C-alpha cells in the first residue's frame, strides 16, 4: 500500500486595504520601501559551487544538467536497488503553477534544489521539506518570439544560479535570495533568437547557444564572464565568407540565415578544454535551396573553451533536408574497438543512427555508425569518413514530396540518453516505426517569421505494433542488449542510470515514471504522476537518504506528436493532462 505523499501547492494571498486606519496610497504616491526578505536559514550557509566540485562532484549532489561534464546522466548512489525499488514512494509533490512542457532537471546542491519551469520561472526548494525558499519569474514582452516555451534547466557556479531566459537573455541570480545579479542580452529575440537550454559552466565561463533554426537565425555558442555577464567570445555555427567551412555554402548572403541552432547543453572534456555542442537544421529546411554540405549544420562541433574556436567537427547529414537536428551532444564514453580503448564520443542521433566517434585534442574522427531504429534514407555509410550515401528517392526537395524513416521527430529527439559504467551500457529513449513526408516550397526570409518552407505529415510503418522503446546497447561490442517497448505510446523520456543497477525514465502518455533493471530491462516499478513526464530525472542524497526527483508536465513536441497520432488512430492516443509538478521519491 502506497501512502499519500505530502502534496504542496502554490498559494496566492490576496490582501485588501479595508480598514479606515490603513494608509491609502494614490497612483501618484510611492509606498515606503520594504526591508529585504530574510534569507531562509537553510540558505544562509549556502555551499558555493567551485570549479573543482563541477569537475568532481560529490556523489550526494547533482550540480549540473547531466550531473557530470561527460553527459552520462549517471548517479553512483546505490541505496535504491533492484531489490528495494518496489518500495519507492513519493515523499513530496510540489505544483509549479504553470502548464506546458516541463523539461528541466532538478539540480541539487547540499540539500537545496533549483528547478526551472516553463513561464521563465526558477525556484529554490528545501529538499527536506519541499518548501519553496524563493521563486524568480522573468516577465517577457507581449511580442516575444518563443516557439518552444520551456527551459531545460539552470547552471550553478560560485554563489550564483544561471538561467537562459526564453527571450535570449542570460540571467545570473543570487543563489541565496533569487534576486537578479546581472542580465545580458545574448541575441535579438525579434529576429527569431530564443533560448531553451541550460547554460554550461566550464573553465570559469558560462556558455549558451540559441534556438530558432526554423526562423532563419545564424546559430552560435557564446561565453560570458560569470561575475559580470560580459561576453568573452562567440563562435557561429554557420561560417561567414572566408571562414573555414564557408566554401560549403552558396555564394551570396544565405549564410546569414543559415540555421545551425543550438538547442541542448553541451558536454565538456576538462583534459582538452573542449566543449562538444550539437547543431540543428539549415535554413530553410530544404537542402536544394542552399546547395552544398552547409557546415556546421547537423553536426557535433568541438569548441575550444579558452578561445571559442571550432577545433573539430563531425557532420552527420550533409545538406540536411529532413529536419534531423542533431542537437543532442555526444556522450564522452571511452569504449573498446579492435582490441584498443578509444577515447570516445557516442551520439544517438535524430537521423536514427548510433554514431561511435573518437575525440582528440582537436579533430573528431569517425569510428562506426549503424541504425538503432528503422532508417531508409542512408544506403550506406563510408567506413572511413562516416559520410552517408543518401537515397535520392527519400530526400525531400522543393516541389517534391518524399517519404522517409525515421520521422522528422527522429529516432531520438532531444531527451538525453544515459550511460552506466557498471553495466557498460548506453540507454536510449527511442521512437521506432514512425515515418514522415515533407513537401517543400520556396520561402522568403522575414526576421522572426517561419523560414522552413516545408509541410510535413506523420505515418506509421506498415506492420508496426509499437512506437516507444527503451534500448540498451553495450558500448564495447556496439550491439543491442535489450529493448523494452511501449505498445500505445511514443517515448519522450530522458534517461537516468544509477549505481543501484537501475534505469529511470518517464516519457509515456500513461503518465508513468518507470524503473528498469539496468542489466536485463525488466520493468521493476512504475508510478502514475499528474501528467506525462518529459523532464530529466536526477538522484541525490540528503541526510544519508537517497532520493530520485523528476518534473512531470506534458507539452511542446510530445503534445504535438500525440495529437498527430490521435488523428491517424482516433481514440488510441488521447490527450494527456497537463500541469507541472515536481515529484521526489524515496524508499520507505
Amino acid at each position: 500500500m502506497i501512502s499519500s505523499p505530502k502534496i504542496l501547492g502554490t498559494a496566492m494571498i490576496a490582501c485588501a486595504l479595508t480598514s479606515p486606519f490603513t494608509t491609502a496610497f494614490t497612483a501618484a504616491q510611492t509606498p515606503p520601501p520594504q526591508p529585504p526578505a530574510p534569507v531562509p536559514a537553510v540558505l544562509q550557509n549556502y555551499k558555493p559551487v567551485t570549479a573543482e566540485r563541477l569537475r568532481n562532484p560529490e556523489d550526494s549532489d547533482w550540480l549540473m544538467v547531466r550531473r557530470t561534464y561527460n553527459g552520462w546522466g549517471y548517479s553512483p548512489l546505490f541505496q535504491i536497488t533492484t531489490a528495494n525499488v518496489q518500495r519507492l514512494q513519493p515523499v513530496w509533490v510540489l505544483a509549479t503553477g504553470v502548464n506546458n512542457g516541463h523539461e528541466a532537471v532538478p539540480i541539487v546542491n547540499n540539500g537545496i534544489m533549483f528547478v526551472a519551469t516553463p513561464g521563465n520561472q526558477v525556484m529554490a526548494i528545501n529538499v527536506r521539506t519541499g518548501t519553496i525558499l524563493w521563486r524568480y519569474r522573468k516577465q517577457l514582452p507581449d511580442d516575444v518570439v518563443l516557439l518552444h516555451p520551456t527551459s531545460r534547466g539552470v547552471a550553478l557556479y560560485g554563489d550564483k544560479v544561471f538561467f537562459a531566459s526564453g527571450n535570449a537573455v542570460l540571467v545570473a541570480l543570487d543563489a541565496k535570495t533569487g534576486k537578479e545579479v546581472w542580465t545580458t542580452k545574448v541575441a535579438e529575440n525579434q529576429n527569431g533568437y530564443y533560448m531553451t537550454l541550460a547554460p554550461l559552466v566550464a573553465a570559469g565561463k558560462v556558455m549558451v547557444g540559441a534556438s530558432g533554426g526554423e526562423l532563419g537565425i545564424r546559430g552560435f555558442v557564446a561565453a560570458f564572464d560569470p561575475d559580470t555577464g560580459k561576453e568573452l567570445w562567440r563562435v557561429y555555427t554557420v561560417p561567414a565568407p572566408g571562414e573555414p567551412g564557408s566554401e560549403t555554402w552558396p555564394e551570396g548572403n544565405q549564410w546569414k540565415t543559415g540555421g545551425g541552432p543550438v538547442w541542448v547543453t553541451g558536454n565538456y572534456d576538462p583534459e582538452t578544454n573542449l566543449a562538444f555542442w550539437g547543431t540543428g537544421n539549415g535554413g530553410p529546411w530544404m537542402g536544394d535551396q542552399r546547395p552544398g554540405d552547409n557546415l556546421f549544420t547537423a553536426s557535433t562541433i568541438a569548441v575550444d573553451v579558452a578561445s571559442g574556436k571550432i577545433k573539430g567537427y563531425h557532420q552527420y547529414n550533409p545538406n540536411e533536408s529532413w529536419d534531423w537536428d542533431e542537437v543532442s551532444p555526444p556522450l564522452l564514453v571511452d569504449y573498446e574497438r579492435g582490441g584498443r580503448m578509444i577515447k570516445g564520443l557516442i551520439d544517438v542521433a535524430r537521423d536514427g543512427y548510433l554514431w561511435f566517434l573518437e575525440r582528440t585534442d582537436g579533430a573528431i574522427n569517425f569510428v562506426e555508425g549503424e541504425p538503432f531504429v528503422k532508417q531508409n534514407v542512408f544506403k550506406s555509410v563510408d567506413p572511413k569518413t562516416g559520410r552517408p550515401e543518401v537515397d535520392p528517392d527519400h530526400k525531400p526537395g522543393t516541389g517534391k514530396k518524399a517519404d522517409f524513416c525515421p520521422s522528422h521527430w527522429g529516432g531520438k529527439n532531444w531527451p538525453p540518453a544515459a550511460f552506466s559504467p557498471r553495466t557498460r551500457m548506453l540507454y536510449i529513449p527511442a521512437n521506432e516505426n514512425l515515418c514522415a513526408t515533407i513537401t517543400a516550397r520556396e520561402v522568403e526570409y522575414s526576421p522572426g517569421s517561419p523560414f522552413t518552407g516545408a509541410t510535413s505529415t506523420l505515418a506509421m510503418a506498415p506492420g508496426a505494433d509499437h512506437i516507444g522503446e527503451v534500448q540498451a546497447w553495450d558500448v564495447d561490442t556496439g550491439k543491442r542488449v535489450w529493448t523494452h517497448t511501449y505498445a500505445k505510446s511514443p517515448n519522450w523520456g530522458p534517461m537516468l542510470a544509477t549505481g543501484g543497477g537501475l534505469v529511470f525514465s518517464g516519457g509515456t502518455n500513461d503518465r508513468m515514471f518507470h524503473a528498469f533493471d539496468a542489466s536485463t530491462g525488466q520493468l521493476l516499478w512504475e508510478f502514475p504522476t499528474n501528467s506525462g513526464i518529459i523532464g530529466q530525472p536526477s538522484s541525490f542524497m540528503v541526510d544519508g537518504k537517497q532520493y530520485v526527483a523528476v518534473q512531470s508536465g506534458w507539452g511542446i513536441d510530445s503534445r504535438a506528436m500525440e495529437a498527430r497520432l490521435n488523428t491517424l488512430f482516433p481514440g488510441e492516443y488521447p490527450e494527456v493532462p497537463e500541469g507541472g509538478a515536481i515529484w521526489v521519491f524515496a524508499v520507505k
Side-chain angles (χ1 to χ4, degrees):
M1 175 71 69
I2 295 177
S3 61
S4 297
K6 180 180 179 183
I7 301 178
L8 303 160
T10 55
M12 297 183 66
I13 302 174
C15 299
L17 300 178
T18 57
S19 168
F21 302 102
T22 301
T23 302
F25 293 99
T26 67
Q29 293 175 316
T30 302
Q34 299 296 314
V39 175
V42 70
L43 281 171
Q44 289 177 6
N45 296 314
Y46 178 77
K47 187 175 183 179
V49 176
T50 62
E52 177 58 29
R53 291 186 69 205
L54 290 176
R55 283 193 299 269
N56 298 291
E58 296 92 337
D59 289 355
S60 58
D61 288 327
W62 193 284
L63 298 180
M64 67 178 73
V65 63
R66 296 302 285 159
R67 189 179 175 274
T68 47
Y69 280 132
N70 50 29
W72 288 2
Y74 173 78
S75 168
L77 297 176
F78 53 86
Q79 193 178 88
I80 303 173
T81 69
T82 56
N84 63 21
V85 70
Q86 293 87 352
R87 305 204 315 269
L88 202 64
Q89 298 181 20
V91 178
W92 55 260
V93 182
L94 177 64
T96 64
V98 290
N99 288 347
N100 217 330
H102 285 58
E103 300 181 351
V105 61
I107 301 287
V108 176
N109 176 27
N110 196 32
I112 308 300
M113 178 184 291
F114 299 93
V115 182
T117 77
N120 283 275
Q121 176 179 243
V122 180
M123 293 186 291
I125 301 163
N126 186 340
V127 170
R128 294 173 177 87
T129 63
T131 305
I132 297 176
L133 301 171
W134 54 252
R135 184 198 303 265
Y136 169 83
R137 293 187 183 95
K138 185 167 185 62
Q139 297 298 318
L140 302 186
D142 292 339
D143 61 349
V144 65
V145 178
L146 184 56
L147 300 192
H148 292 75
T150 189
S151 171
R152 297 192 174 109
V154 299
L156 305 182
Y157 188 58
D159 58 357
K160 297 182 182 68
V161 179
F162 298 96
F163 171 63
S165 176
N167 61 337
V169 172
L170 180 60
V171 180
L173 303 174
D174 186 311
K176 294 183 179 181
T177 66
K179 303 297 183 184
E180 288 184 358
V181 179
W182 53 256
T183 64
T184 295
K185 182 177 178 179
V186 176
E188 178 53 60
N189 175 250
Q190 292 300 301
N191 289 340
Y193 292 88
Y194 61 96
M195 295 196 298
T196 59
L197 79 177
L200 171 65
V201 176
K205 298 177 178 66
V206 185
M207 290 170 278
V208 294
S211 303
E214 61 286 311
L215 298 169
I217 68 162
R218 183 188 179 203
F220 63 84
V221 177
F224 299 85
D225 185 296
D227 294 322
T228 65
K230 178 184 177 182
E231 183 171 319
L232 302 175
W233 52 253
R234 180 174 300 227
V235 58
Y236 287 95
T237 59
V238 177
E243 295 177 347
S246 60
E247 70 280 0
T248 66
W249 285 86
E251 293 184 4
N253 293 323
Q254 279 191 272
W255 59 275
K256 293 181 178 180
T257 55
V262 175
W263 289 85
V264 180
T265 311
N267 293 326
Y268 173 65
D269 186 353
E271 291 185 10
T272 58
N273 203 28
L274 295 178
F276 297 92
W277 298 84
T279 67
N281 56 274
W285 274 9
M286 287 307 99
D288 62 0
Q289 297 182 30
R290 40 178 169 79
D293 284 359
N294 308 140
L295 291 174
F296 296 94
T297 64
S299 302
T300 290
I301 56 174
V303 177
D304 181 4
V305 175
S307 66
K309 303 295 184 183
I310 296 177
K311 300 290 289 293
Y313 73 94
H314 180 81
Q315 187 176 45
Y316 303 98
N317 309 309
N319 195 236
E320 202 283 314
S321 299
W322 304 267
D323 191 33
W324 283 340
D325 302 72
E326 302 302 359
V327 292
S328 294
L331 282 68
L332 280 66
V333 178
D334 298 345
Y335 56 88
E336 293 183 9
R337 282 297 184 279
R340 72 181 182 100
M341 186 65 74
I342 294 174
K343 283 187 170 294
L345 297 171
I346 303 178
D347 187 60
V348 188
R350 194 153 154 179
D351 61 20
Y353 263 60
L354 182 57
W355 300 92
F356 289 86
L357 309 172
E358 180 180 29
R359 69 186 192 274
T360 70
D361 59 359
I364 298 175
N365 301 320
F366 172 75
V367 177
E368 66 184 32
E370 61 178 296
F372 65 94
V373 295
K374 189 183 306 296
Q375 221 272 15
N376 64 3
V377 174
F378 298 165
K379 291 183 175 181
S380 63
V381 172
D382 187 288
K384 292 184 178 180
T385 66
R387 186 184 181 94
E389 180 188 0
V390 172
D391 184 340
D393 290 341
H394 296 294
K395 182 177 181 179
T398 306
K400 168 192 173 186
K401 181 179 180 179
D403 65 272
F404 54 92
C405 309
S407 78
H408 53 288
W409 272 301
K412 184 190 79 66
N413 204 271
W414 77 269
F419 171 73
S420 170
R422 266 192 57 168
T423 63
R424 301 287 299 163
M425 291 185 201
L426 182 74
Y427 303 97
I428 300 172
N431 283 312
E432 176 63 292
N433 295 316
L434 286 183
C435 304
T437 69
I438 286 181
T439 305
R441 64 187 184 281
E442 295 280 354
V443 61
E444 293 292 328
Y445 173 73
S446 176
S449 299
F451 191 56
T452 64
T455 301
S456 65
T457 66
L458 189 67
M460 191 88 79
D465 62 355
H466 72 280
I467 299 174
E469 296 184 346
V470 176
Q471 301 179 3
W473 289 70
D474 185 313
V475 299
D476 297 314
T477 64
K479 303 298 183 183
R480 193 190 304 200
V481 178
W482 58 257
T483 303
H484 179 89
T485 63
Y486 300 115
K488 286 297 180 181
S489 179
N491 186 1
W492 285 88
M495 309 300 299
L496 162 68
T498 73
L502 295 165
V503 175
F504 291 90
S505 180
T508 50
N509 56 18
D510 58 7
R511 303 179 290 116
M512 292 291 186
F513 191 35
H514 315 93
F516 300 92
D517 184 310
S519 296
T520 68
Q522 181 183 358
L523 179 62
L524 300 177
W525 170 89
E526 59 183 5
F527 188 91
T529 65
N530 58 292
S531 182
I533 295 173
I534 59 175
Q536 303 170 66
S538 64
S539 189
F540 48 90
M541 183 172 281
V542 178
D543 300 331
K545 193 173 188 65
Q546 182 183 358
Y547 297 87
V548 176
V550 71
Q551 289 201 89
S552 180
W554 197 254
I556 315 293
D557 286 280
S558 61
R559 179 208 296 136
M561 179 186 281
E562 188 81 0
R564 286 206 186 186
L565 287 169
N566 201 45
T567 299
L568 291 173
F569 307 98
E572 296 184 37
Y573 296 86
E575 182 178 347
V576 179
E578 294 189 25
I582 305 161
W583 291 75
V584 175
F585 298 86
V587 170
K588 291 187 178 180

